[in-house]
């Protein structure tokens, strides 16, 4: 509680009790505005000194303020395990278990314990496999993210220590120097020629000079000098922590993959329910079955028709894919983002630090000279006028342009050096050339200042030419740095010179990364359009676009509010956003708006970035990608975190995600086909012959099938050359066609075996015409259904002939093993409890030959379906128009528990939308607070203004 006035100013002494003050009060600017308060008052307010806090005090403040990181949301492992059994598909199997143990009574028989135990074990096995895979993937991600944990130099107990930045609390004293990332919001209490790069906050390339008493922000980088500061904000109470709150999602959104899973699940459940209702009516009303016999047939449809392993198979596929992407230095923090990355059609990329190096460089090819001094010597002279220690960004750029940095002082003796200051806006060095012992002076700085400084050889033509060159650089987004030299005949550092001569104009820019152009070309070859979205100036954005062959059809962000300019061909803002190559001068709400508009137009959008200003758009995008060295806010908002510089890893991620998508699509087509095959086949056999297939054998079939199909997560597939999308109409139609064909194979086989002497003429057993449920027939039909059904996976996984496209070794081995087991069961098993009897090797051979004959036409059926659903004239653009399954919102997702909720990186942006605003649990719309967004933008605008002012007055 304050004992003096709470409304503070620079002249008011503050007396508070840090043990009792509320965190909300401390960060209420109406009470304590620590961004403007005198530093002495801050030290008094936070009960600290220049010697720092004690360890005990720091620990007590951690308990009060929390760790210096964004909130972590941990998933209870037990609930994560149970989530694999909490979805509509599992509910059907759980209902089957209840039927087996509760309703399967009567007829003098005990409850169906074998089926009950088998169903429960199958549920537990699927849940266990899925949980283990996700848990292992989660541990891998946690280990990688832990390796990225930042360190900070903190003064504790009066001594400097290097500790994890997460341990920082308000009142800590920290030290920062060249190259350090500022670990928390702080006020400088000591500053030595310090310059801070706030590109992660504002998107502007040039650093900002800071002085004692100035505020420095978490996530910014020290580019020059060193200093000490008192921490005033940590975690969510920092500048980018507040940015995180702008887009914190509190709904329970359904991701794209969850929508697909839901529709596939409904297709299977509706198919089962349809045939189940008909079968119950036929059995009890038509055939007058006794109660227990009918219940057994109900169990056959419930157990055999439901793709119980689907959530597990897809979860395992994604988890294995996440580990594979991690090997390519891409950490996946939201599993279902892998599937959405496969469908991305537009990649929105930040410029500074993402497309570019965020390092200023001289464009030697465009360097201008105004005397007989060569371009190489112009750079050398400018290096003389640069610091070689405690360099700012310009000095680093100039000296770095030399073949060898030692040349900046080689062969000369420094007599005097005048560093850059905001008044003179230039640097100057007086030096002695050791080769002839003569003294010279060189100056570099703002073009107009240097031109005014020159008195020798200056003509109207030279002045006009320099102004024209400066204007040309400005149009192209290049910054101009002029260089002039003079001789000092007196030979002393303060001696009068002969007059400065203008010798050159250096074009300075932030160059693209070495692999960016190739990455963009590869992305476009894969059908992904790349757009630049940057907070930098339009001219700079256009020049970068030209260098990267991205195009320069770019606009200022103001067009999003004012509408398309007259020279634009677009009629609406949406058309402009879609057609533009990029936007410049954007703030968080602009990036967010651009991504939202693209999603509303039906495009899956990925956003790359590294700074706080990218976080809202990263969270909004279908796939947010934080590049290497990104801020904590960007990592928390992103779905994928890159651990290597550049964008080339994204191409590996796109190709990897498309492979993963192909595996999931192949499995989905297969599992839907098997559902139709089982429910249609055994329903028709019941109607036609009163055939009662044993429910336990359907369970065995499901177990072997699930064990085999899990290996599809490592299958060999070829990624597509265009963005993928779920064509559920094709999948469901193919499932019906395949299901009918496989059913026909079983019905034909049963009819031939039961009603004709075709097989008996070959020496095989004949069956009495009045015994359609002969136990050997049960074994034979089991083998026929098992082998041909599982073989269908080789058809759905291939685009050409299935016996030509080689599967992975593990999938082939699993299939062979499962069919050996199925064959041995059919040949030898005499299980009275489930009404089967070994059929012998003769009948097993007949089944295999029959199935081989029926297998080969499946490829031609596939080709016919491809012709119907994928005409050769279809273009990539037409495929993109089929992206109807945009991300939507719902009150609850039954699948998100182990796809979307699987999050190992701390995220304040856990829920993501494609279009519109999220919904809270009670159905209310939750949008970003306009007031908060305006306040955040105002702070950013102030920082950008300061940076731009520094840029315009740079050397």
């Amino acid at each position: 509680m304050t004992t003096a006035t709470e409304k503070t100013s620079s002249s008011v002494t503050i007396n508070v009790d840090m043990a009792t003050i509320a965190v909300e009060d401390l960060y209420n600017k109406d009470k304590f505005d620590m961004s403007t308060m005198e530093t002495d008052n801050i030290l008094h307010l936070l009960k600290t000194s220049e010697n720092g806090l004690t360890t005990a005090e720091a620990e007590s403040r951690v308990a009060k303020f929390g760790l210096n990181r964004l909130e972590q949301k941990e998933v209870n492992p037990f609930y994560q395990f149970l989530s694999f059994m909490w979805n509509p598909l599992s509910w059907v199997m759980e209902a089957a278990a209840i039927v087996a143990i509760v309703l399967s009574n009567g007829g003098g028989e005990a409850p169906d314990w074998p089926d009950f135990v088998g169903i429960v074990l199958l549920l537990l096995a699927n849940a266990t496999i899925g949980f283990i895979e996700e848990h292992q993937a989660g541990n891998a991600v946690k280990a990688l993210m832990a390796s990225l944990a930042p360190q900070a130099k903190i003064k504790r107990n009066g001594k400097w220590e290097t500790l994890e930045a997460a341990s920082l609390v308000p009142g800590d004293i920290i030290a920062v120097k060249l190259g350090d990332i500022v670990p928390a919001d702080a006020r400088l209490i000591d500053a030595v020629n310090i310059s801070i790069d706030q590109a992660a906050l504002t998107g502007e390339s040039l650093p900002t000079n800071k002085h004692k008493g100035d505020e420095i922000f978490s996530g910014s980088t020290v580019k020059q000098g060193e200093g000490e500061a008192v921490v005033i904000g940590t975690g969510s109470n920092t500048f980018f922590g507040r940015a995180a709150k702008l887009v914190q999602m509190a709904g329970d959104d359904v991701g794209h993959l969850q929508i697909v899973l839901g529709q596939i699940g409904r297709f299977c459940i509706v198919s089962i329910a349809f045939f189940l209702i008909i079968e119950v009516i036929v059995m009890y009303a038509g055939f007058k079955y006794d109660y227990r016999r009918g219940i057994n047939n109900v169990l056959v449809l419930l157990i055999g028709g439901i793709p119980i392993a689907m959530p597990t198979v897809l979860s395992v596929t994604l988890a294995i894919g996440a580990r594979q992407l991690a090997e390519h230095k891409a950490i996946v923090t939201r599993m279902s983002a892998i599937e959405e990355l496969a469908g991305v059609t537009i990649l929105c990329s930040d410029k500074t630090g993402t497309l570019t190096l965020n390092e200023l460089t001289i464009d030697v090819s465009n360097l201008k000279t105004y005397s007989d001094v060569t371009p190489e010597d112009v750079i050398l002279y400018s290096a003389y006028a640069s610091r070689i220690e405690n360099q700012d960004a310009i000095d680093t750029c100039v000296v770095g342009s030399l073949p060898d940095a030692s040349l900046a002082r080689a062969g000369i003796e420094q007599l005097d050096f005048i560093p850059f200051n905001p008044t003179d806006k230039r640097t100057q060095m007086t030096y002695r050339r050791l080769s002839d012992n003569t003294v010279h002076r060189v100056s570099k700085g703002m073009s107009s200042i240097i031109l005014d400084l020159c008195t020798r050889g200056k003509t109207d033509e030279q002045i006009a030419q320099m102004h024209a060159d400066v204007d040309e650089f400005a149009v192209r987004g290049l910054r101009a740095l002029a260089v002039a030299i003079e001789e000092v005949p007196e030979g002393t550092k303060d001696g009068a010179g002969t007059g400065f001569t203008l010798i050159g104009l250096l074009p300075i820019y932030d160059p693209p990364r070495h692999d960016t152009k190739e990455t963009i070309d590869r992305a476009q070859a894969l059908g992904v359009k790349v757009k630049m979205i940057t907070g930098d100036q339009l001219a700079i954005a256009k020049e970068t676009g030209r260098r990267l062959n991205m195009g320069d059809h770019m606009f200022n962000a103001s067009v999003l509010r004012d509408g398309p300019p007259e020279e634009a061909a677009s009629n609406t803002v949406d058309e402009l956003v879609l057609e533009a190559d990029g936007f410049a001068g954007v703030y968080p709400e602009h990036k967010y708006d651009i991504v939202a508009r693209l999603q509303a137009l039906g495009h899956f959008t990925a956003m790359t970035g590294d700074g706080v200003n990218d976080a809202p758009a990263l969270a909004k995008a279908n796939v947010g990608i934080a590049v290497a060295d990104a801020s904590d806010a960007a990592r928390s908002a992103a779905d994928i975190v890159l651990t290597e510089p550049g964008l080339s890893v994204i191409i590996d991620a796109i190709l990897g995600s498309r492979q993963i998508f192909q595996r999931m699509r192949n499995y989905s087509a297969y599992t839907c086909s098997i559902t139709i095959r089982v429910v249609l086949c055994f329903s028709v056999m019941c109607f036609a012959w009163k055939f009662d297939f044993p429910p336990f054998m359907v369970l065995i079939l499901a177990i072997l099938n699930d064990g085999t199909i899990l290996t599809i997560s490592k299958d060999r597939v070829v990624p597509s050359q265009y963005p993928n999308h779920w064509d559920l109409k094709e999948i469901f139609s193919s499932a019906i066609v395949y299901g009918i064909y496989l059913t026909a194979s079983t019905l034909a086989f049963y009819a031939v075996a039961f009603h004709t002497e075709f097989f008996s003429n070959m020496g095989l057993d004949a069956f009495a015409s009045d015994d359609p449920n002969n136990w050997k027939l049960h074994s034979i039909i089991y083998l026929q259904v098992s082998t041909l059904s599982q073989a269908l996976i080789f058809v759905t996984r291939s685009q050409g002939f299935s016996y030509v496209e080689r599967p992975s070794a593990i999938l082939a081995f699993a299939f062979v093993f499962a069919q050996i087991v199925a064959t041995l069961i059919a040949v030898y098993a005499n299980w009275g409890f489930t009404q089967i009897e070994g059929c012998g090797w003769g009948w097993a051979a007949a089944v295999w030959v029959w199935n081989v004959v029926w297998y080969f036409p499946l490829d031609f059926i596939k080709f016919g379906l491809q012709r119907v659903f994928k005409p050769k004239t279809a273009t990539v653009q037409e495929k993109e128009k089929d992206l109807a399954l945009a991300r939507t919102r719902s009150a609850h997702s039954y699948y998100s528990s182990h796809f979307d909720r699987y999050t190992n990186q701390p995220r304040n942006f856990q829920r993501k939308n494609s279009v519109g605003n999220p919904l809270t649990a009670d159905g209310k719309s939750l949008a970003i607070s306009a007031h908060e967004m305006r306040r955040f933008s105002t702070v950013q605008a102030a920082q950008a203004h300061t940076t731009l002012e520094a840029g315009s007055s740079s050397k």
Side-chain angles (χ1 to χ4, degrees), residues 551-705:
D552 58 1
H553 186 55
M554 300 184 185
F555 303 91
N556 272 313
S558 58
V559 300
L560 298 174
R561 180 190 66 249
D562 302 335
E566 294 181 0
E567 66 272 15
S570 307
N571 296 320
T572 65
V573 174
D574 284 348
E575 289 181 9
L576 184 69
V577 169
L578 186 60
E579 295 170 4
D581 296 319
F583 293 89
V586 300
Y587 285 112
E589 65 269 30
H590 297 138
K591 295 186 178 186
Y592 191 94
D593 185 32
I594 290 168
V595 171
R597 287 179 182 275
L598 291 172
Q599 290 173 329
L601 291 171
H603 288 274
F604 269 31
T605 306
M607 171 70 184
T608 69
D610 62 350
V612 176
N613 60 335
D614 299 322
L618 287 174
K620 177 65 176 172
N622 296 91
V623 183
I625 304 171
V627 299
D629 301 324
S631 66
D632 285 350
R635 289 177 184 168
S636 297
D639 304 299
I640 297 175
V641 178
L642 307 184
T643 59
E644 281 191 349
L647 296 178
S648 60
V649 180
I650 295 178
I651 298 302
D652 294 329
I654 289 176
L655 291 173
S657 68
R658 291 184 182 180
Q659 287 181 311
I660 295 164
F661 179 92
Q662 291 293 334
R663 293 171 185 143
M664 293 192 295
R665 185 206 167 278
N666 295 342
Y667 169 74
S668 299
Y670 165 79
T671 196
C672 290
S673 301
I674 296 305
T675 293
I676 298 297
R677 190 259 202 279
V678 169
V679 297
L680 178 61
C681 176
F682 291 122
S683 294
V684 172
M685 292 184 75
C686 176
F687 304 157
W689 293 291
K690 296 185 179 180
F691 181 79
D692 303 326
F693 192 71
F696 186 78
M697 296 313 297
V698 171
L699 189 61
I700 295 297
L701 188 143
I703 292 173
L704 290 179
N705 182 67

